[in-house]
């Protein structure tokens, strides 16, 4: 593989396509045309002498050759550019930087706890990353854009994707889904809500950009739910509940971050709806900084699952 004559922007384009799943979405994220994306990919494929993307009905995926190019061309071109920029600006190298992705509600409780602990125990480490939906984070892991990703998982708890080799996945927490109700609402008067009382309710649904699946409605309802509002921001969902606009669901860990005016309650009378938080990475030996960040996330998850101390 000879990438001498390949434009430095081409690896960025390949990474964007691998992350976004389509050339159209990649072009939108890069602020260029789809034809420009196609030209950059074609140049990389000529240099590699192989197809780098597998075109499928649900989008595109990196081929084995594509993964090799992501490791070689991207590292060589992008990392050299980054090193040159740091050297020219007098900044030190960032060997302790870990690229981390997380699904939205993980950024409310779990992630801040872990990063706070790392500032005390690992001052040389720096966590950088971004929020996203679980499918987008998995694509970013596969594309080499992230070192670690916090993923959300619901029954039947399948692997995050069907690609090979499988990602290294560890369950950090498994807790029951909870219901969010306005503090002055009749169901908020008790310590739990009966599942039979959820029929005929209005719901505040959540959605992630680029994903069709709605969250926020209690699973398994034997009726078509009435969706009053749909929001991408989980905090907006909770404030809409506080305003009396409907009900929504959240992982139990979010109870600590709930705003005034709502109660977060368990649901009784039906099967428990479990939700898992997963920590995933590519299946190659992790660097020491990645191992230390992963340990901090596991410790934060254990701390979040510990029972609250009794009132004094």
């Amino acid at each position: 593989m000879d990438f001498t004559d390949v434009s430095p922007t081409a690896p960025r384009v390949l990474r964007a396509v691998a992350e976004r799943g389509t050339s159209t979405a990649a072009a939108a994220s890069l602020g260029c045309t789809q034809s420009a994306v196609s030209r950059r990919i074609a140049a990389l494929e000529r240099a590699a002498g192989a197809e780098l993307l597998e075109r499928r009905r649900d989008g595109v995926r990196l081929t084995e050759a594509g993964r090799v190019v992501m490791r070689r061309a991207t590292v060589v071109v992008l990392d050299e550019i980054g090193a040159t920029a740091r050297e020219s600006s007098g900044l030190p190298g960032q060997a302790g930087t870990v690229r981390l992705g997380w699904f939205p509600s993980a950024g409310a409780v779990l992630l801040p706890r872990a990063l706070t602990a790392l500032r005390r125990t690992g001052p040389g480490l720096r966590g950088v990353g971004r929020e996203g939906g679980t499918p987008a984070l998995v694509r970013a892991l596969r594309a080499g854009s992230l070192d670690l990703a916090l993923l959300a998982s619901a029954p039947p708890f399948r692997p995050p994707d069907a690609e090979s080799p499988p990602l290294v996945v560890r369950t950090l927490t498994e807790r029951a889904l909870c219901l969010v109700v306005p503090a002055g609402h009749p169901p908020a008067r008790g310590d739990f809500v009966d599942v039979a009382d959820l029929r005929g309710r209005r719901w505040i649904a959540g959605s992630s950009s680029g994903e069709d699946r709605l969250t926020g409605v209690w699973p398994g309802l034997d009726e078509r739910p009435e969706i009053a509002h749909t929001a991408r921001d989980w905090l907006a969902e909770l404030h809409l509940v506080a305003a009396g606009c409907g009900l929504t669901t959240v992982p139990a860990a979010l109870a600590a971050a709930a705003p005034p005016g709502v109660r977060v309650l368990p649901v009784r009378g039906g099967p428990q709806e479990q939700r898992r938080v997963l920590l995933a990475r590519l299946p190659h030996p992790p660097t020491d900084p990645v191992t230390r960040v992963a340990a901090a996330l596991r410790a934060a998850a254990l701390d979040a699952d510990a029972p609250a101390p009794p009132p004094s």
Side-chain angles (χ1 to χ4, degrees):
M1 297 183 182
D2 182 8
F3 299 102
T4 306
D5 296 326
V6 172
S7 166
T9 63
R12 294 185 187 275
V13 172
L14 179 63
R15 176 175 287 178
V17 174
E19 283 189 22
R20 303 288 174 169
T22 67
S23 297
T24 301
S29 71
L30 295 168
C32 63
T33 64
Q34 187 174 351
S35 61
V37 168
S38 298
R39 288 196 299 272
R40 295 292 188 273
I41 298 299
L44 273 176
E45 289 183 327
R46 285 194 298 272
E51 289 192 352
L52 305 182
L53 296 170
E54 176 188 0
R55 280 76 177 178
R56 307 197 303 195
R57 298 180 70 179
D58 59 344
V60 298
R61 296 288 187 275
L62 288 170
T63 62
E64 183 58 36
R67 285 190 282 270
V68 171
V69 169
M70 285 301 301
R71 287 196 301 269
R72 296 187 60 182
T74 303
V75 168
V76 170
V77 176
L78 300 186
D79 289 359
E80 281 301 313
I81 291 172
T84 301
R86 288 194 297 271
E87 184 178 345
S88 65
S89 61
L91 294 175
Q94 296 176 347
T97 297
V98 175
R99 301 165 301 166
L100 178 65
W102 60 89
F103 65 95
S105 61
V109 178
L110 179 57
L111 186 66
R113 288 183 179 182
L115 295 181
T116 298
L118 281 171
R119 281 197 296 270
R120 295 193 303 266
T121 62
L125 286 176
R126 192 168 82 98
V128 298
R130 64 178 184 271
E131 176 185 287
T134 288
L137 295 176
V138 170
R139 290 195 298 269
L141 274 176
R142 291 291 186 188
S145 301
L146 296 175
D147 301 306
L148 290 169
L150 289 166
L151 310 177
S153 181
F157 300 125
R158 297 187 179 92
D161 67 5
E163 301 296 314
S164 182
L167 297 172
V168 176
V169 179
R170 178 164 183 168
T171 298
L172 297 186
T173 67
E174 181 173 341
R175 301 181 69 181
L177 191 67
C178 289
L179 188 74
V180 187
V181 299
H185 206 267
R189 295 171 186 165
D191 294 326
F192 64 90
V193 177
D194 192 283
V195 69
D197 292 333
L198 301 183
R199 298 190 81 254
R201 303 290 183 180
R202 304 176 76 212
W203 296 92
I204 311 299
S207 69
S208 297
S209 178
E211 297 173 38
D212 295 330
R213 186 174 66 91
L214 291 180
T215 60
V217 178
W218 189 258
L221 289 179
D222 59 350
E223 63 178 2
R224 183 180 180 86
E226 179 186 354
I227 307 298
H229 300 281
T230 302
R232 292 181 182 175
D233 180 3
W234 66 267
L235 189 56
E237 294 176 52
L238 299 192
H239 279 290
L240 286 168
V241 173
C245 298
L247 311 181
T248 196
T249 62
V250 294
L254 269 187
V262 303
R263 290 197 68 196
V264 180
L265 299 171
V267 176
R268 304 280 176 85
Q272 284 292 298
E273 287 290 338
Q274 299 298 112
R275 295 294 183 269
R276 290 178 183 173
V277 176
L278 309 176
L279 183 62
R281 62 174 175 81
L282 287 173
H284 53 63
T287 63
D288 179 65
V290 168
T291 299
R292 291 163 68 188
V293 171
L297 289 165
R298 289 194 297 269
L302 288 172
D303 182 55
D305 274 349
S312 56

